[in-house]
Amino acid sequence: MRGAGEGRSRRVRYPLAASPFAAMALLHTRGLLATPRLAAAATRASSWWSHVEMGPPDPILGVTEAFKRDTNSKKMNLGVGAYRDDSGKPYVLNCVRKAEAMIASKKMDKEYLPIGGLADFTRASAELALGENSEVLKSGRYVTVQGISGTGSLRIGASFLQRFFKSSRDVYLPKPSWGNHTPIFRDAGLQLQAYRYYDPKTCSLDFSGAMDDISKIPEKSIILLHACAHNPTGVDPRQEQWKEMAALVKKRNLLVYFDMAYQGFASGDINRDAWAVRYFIDQGINILISQSYAKNMGLYGERAGAFTMICSNAEEAKRVESQLKILIRPMYSNPPLNGARIASIILNTPDIRKEWLVEVKGMADRIISMRTQLVSNLKKEGSSHNWQHITDQIGMFCFTGLKPEQVEKLIKEFSIYMTKDGRISVAGVTSGNVGYLAHAIHQVTK
């Protein structure tokens, strides 16, 4: 007798592949993938990441790449948000070199920092933002933790709001705002809204529009404000306007988050640039603050920053600090050491701090001078347009008012690179190329 199953067609069983790639290899050995094209298609279909789409290019990076390919000897890159000296070169502050020399001479270790960062740095950062005579500092009703420059500090705050701010998930940004604000808050789980801020017709602050929109923001929502040198427009409220905004924000019971990336770099005066932050606190508004030392100390790659929360009392500050540490621990465990040491030495060593204040004013003054020279050269070219907004705006960036088609002409005909919205980094303008820039702008706007 034949055993059960004899006479039936026998099925060959193959072992299960441990992965899609092992499966492909197995199919190849059995001759079941006939052509390389089919094999490639099958590999894509079986990949873990076949659904991942190509992301859009960064607009600033695109400008830089196009600039690098250009062979014109007169080419200008006005897209990068980093300071350059009057020769167009990266600039390391002398006070930074001194701080680095001090660190090297002490042969300091490379141990981990605490989760909240370097204590001397966070204390000095809070004092820089709030003022040495601040009531908040004296009462201890604040907490400051070290962040990974401005971006990381903003994200710490955003993550805290997502976890503990139960009143609203809405964050209101000025329109426009720094491009990274949107993904920072969105990726932290918050919802993005906007309020009017910039008037493209006048290249200035749309104060009435801003006030009207803020007056309609639901109570207990979050509003983000640029402390000084608004990025990307360079348009800041006047002190009288800040006062009106503070009164309205207080009336609407909004939670204020200040982004302060340019203290000292905007006007050359650290106290003037922190005026709005300190005024809001004086009005009884407990704010959040993000700080960066990229621009005002030139510590771009060192990633030195701080995040501060003003609380109702010292006991509340302790509770908030404990939760901030719990948030930070799984993010990056503890912050980088070197940049915080450099900034701490600069802020806490009287003679080096004094030198820093001179140097940061020198950077700010050069930017202001380039604005003035650009307008002067435009007039010499015979331009009939009103370019006053260039000198009215402040900080690294300037919204020129140039239209996309005019920007395209500047790139193609003059090798002057900038983002399509007409924003330029004034740091890329020097006494050697400002005349060429003015000539080119006049040619595309006349």
Side-chain angles (χ1 to χ4, degrees):
M1 291 180 64
R2 290 179 299 180
E6 275 190 83
R8 300 177 192 172
S9 60
R10 300 179 65 186
R11 288 181 297 174
V12 179
R13 296 183 182 273
Y14 300 117
L16 290 174
S19 73
F21 306 104
M24 290 299 102
L26 186 61
L27 289 171
H28 272 294
T29 63
R30 301 296 175 185
L32 298 178
L33 284 180
T35 68
R37 184 177 297 176
L38 286 174
T43 300
R44 283 198 301 273
S46 67
S47 168
W48 298 117
W49 315 119
S50 58
H51 62 286
V52 178
E53 298 178 358
M54 179 65 71
D58 183 280
I60 305 297
L61 183 61
V63 169
T64 301
E65 289 303 314
F67 169 81
K68 287 179 179 178
R69 291 192 298 268
D70 198 315
T71 57
N72 187 342
S73 61
K74 293 185 176 181
K75 66 181 180 178
M76 296 176 65
N77 186 359
L78 303 181
V80 179
Y83 183 78
R84 298 290 182 262
D85 64 18
D86 200 45
S87 299
K89 304 296 183 184
Y91 177 61
V92 179
L93 278 66
N94 193 51
C95 63
V96 169
R97 294 295 194 205
K98 288 185 177 180
E100 288 177 325
M102 288 179 66
I103 292 168
S105 68
K106 292 180 180 179
K107 297 182 178 179
M108 303 171 82
D109 62 45
K110 300 293 184 181
E111 291 294 296
Y112 290 126
L113 283 175
I115 297 172
L118 186 66
D120 288 345
F121 169 77
T122 56
R123 184 177 59 253
S125 294
E127 183 179 299
L128 181 67
L130 307 180
E132 59 184 13
N133 297 317
S134 170
E135 166 273 325
V136 171
L137 295 180
K138 293 174 182 176
S139 66
R141 62 181 188 93
Y142 76 99
V143 53
T144 300
V145 294
Q146 185 181 333
I148 303 176
S149 200
T151 300
S153 300
L154 282 162
R155 182 57 187 265
I156 291 170
S159 295
F160 185 90
L161 292 172
Q162 190 278 330
R163 183 170 294 185
F164 293 104
F165 192 69
K166 302 302 183 183
S167 301
S168 175
R169 283 288 177 267
D170 289 333
V171 180
Y172 286 79
L173 302 179
K175 195 167 135 182
S177 195
W178 180 43
N180 218 15
H181 280 147
T182 293
I184 286 170
F185 287 100
R186 180 195 61 211
D187 290 357
L190 301 171
Q191 302 294 320
L192 275 300
Q193 308 293 341
Y195 61 92
R196 281 174 285 174
Y197 187 85
Y198 176 75
D199 183 353
K201 293 178 181 177
T202 62
C203 298
S204 63
L205 178 65
D206 182 3
F207 183 64
S208 61
M211 293 294 283
D212 183 53
D213 283 357
I214 294 171
S215 71
K216 297 172 184 174
I217 294 177
E219 291 190 8
K220 298 182 179 180
S221 296
I222 305 157
I223 184 170
L224 183 127
L225 300 171
H226 297 233
C228 60
H230 179 276
N231 180 1
T233 69
V235 173
D236 287 352
R238 299 188 304 272
Q239 288 189 2
E240 298 75 20
Q241 293 172 326
W242 275 123
K243 289 179 180 179
E244 290 187 50
M245 291 178 74
L248 180 57
V249 161
K250 189 174 183 179
K251 180 181 178 182
R252 297 298 300 162
N253 195 20
L254 303 178
L255 179 63
V256 176
Y257 198 154
F258 269 108
D259 184 0
M260 186 157 61
Y262 297 92
Q263 187 181 2
F265 191 92
S267 69
D269 183 332
I270 58 172
N271 295 315
R272 177 179 172 184
D273 291 347
W275 188 89
V277 166
R278 297 172 187 178
Y279 180 81
F280 272 62
I281 295 172
D282 289 344
Q283 300 310 300
I285 303 170
N286 290 341
I287 63 174
L288 289 69
I289 313 165
S290 168
Q291 291 169 269
S292 167
Y293 291 94
K295 305 299 192 296
N296 59 9
M297 287 187 183
L299 298 177
Y300 300 99
E302 296 290 358
R303 314 310 291 148
F307 171 71
T308 296
M309 287 185 68
I310 312 301
C311 301
S312 297
N313 52 59
E315 186 272 335
E316 181 177 272
K318 289 293 183 186
R319 286 186 280 112
V320 168
E321 181 181 27
S322 71
Q323 293 295 340
L324 285 171
K325 289 178 180 179
I326 290 170
L327 277 169
I328 290 169
R329 181 73 171 106
M331 278 190 192
Y332 52 85
S333 196
N334 42 68
L337 176 62
N338 196 56
R341 277 179 172 167
I342 293 170
S344 179
I345 288 172
I346 291 170
L347 293 172
N348 293 305
T349 310
D351 58 333
I352 298 181
R353 181 188 178 101
K354 186 177 180 180
E355 185 171 4
W356 170 60
L357 294 175
V358 172
E359 288 188 282
V360 74
K361 186 177 189 305
M363 290 191 291
D365 286 349
R366 194 187 88 73
I367 297 288
I368 293 167
S369 173
M370 288 303 103
R371 290 177 178 275
T372 303
Q373 289 185 44
L374 178 56
V375 172
S376 175
N377 276 272
L378 281 164
K379 289 178 180 176
K380 288 179 184 177
E381 288 286 331
S383 177
S384 58
H385 295 287
N386 181 4
W387 298 102
Q388 185 180 335
H389 60 275
I390 292 177
T391 50
D392 285 346
Q393 294 171 14
I394 194 169
M396 181 173 287
F397 300 108
C398 170
F399 252 33
T400 59
L402 293 169
K403 298 176 175 63
E405 59 271 20
Q406 294 169 332
V407 171
E408 195 65 27
K409 276 189 174 183
L410 285 173
I411 293 171
K412 287 185 176 180
E413 297 177 18
F414 297 94
S415 298
I416 296 174
Y417 293 84
M418 64 187 72
T419 50
K420 291 180 180 179
D421 56 11
R423 186 203 81 163
I424 65 171
S425 172
V426 187
V429 184
T430 70
S431 56
N433 63 25
V434 66
Y436 178 69
L437 175 61
H439 172 73
I441 291 176
H442 176 54
Q443 292 302 309
V444 303
T445 57
K446 66 180 181 181

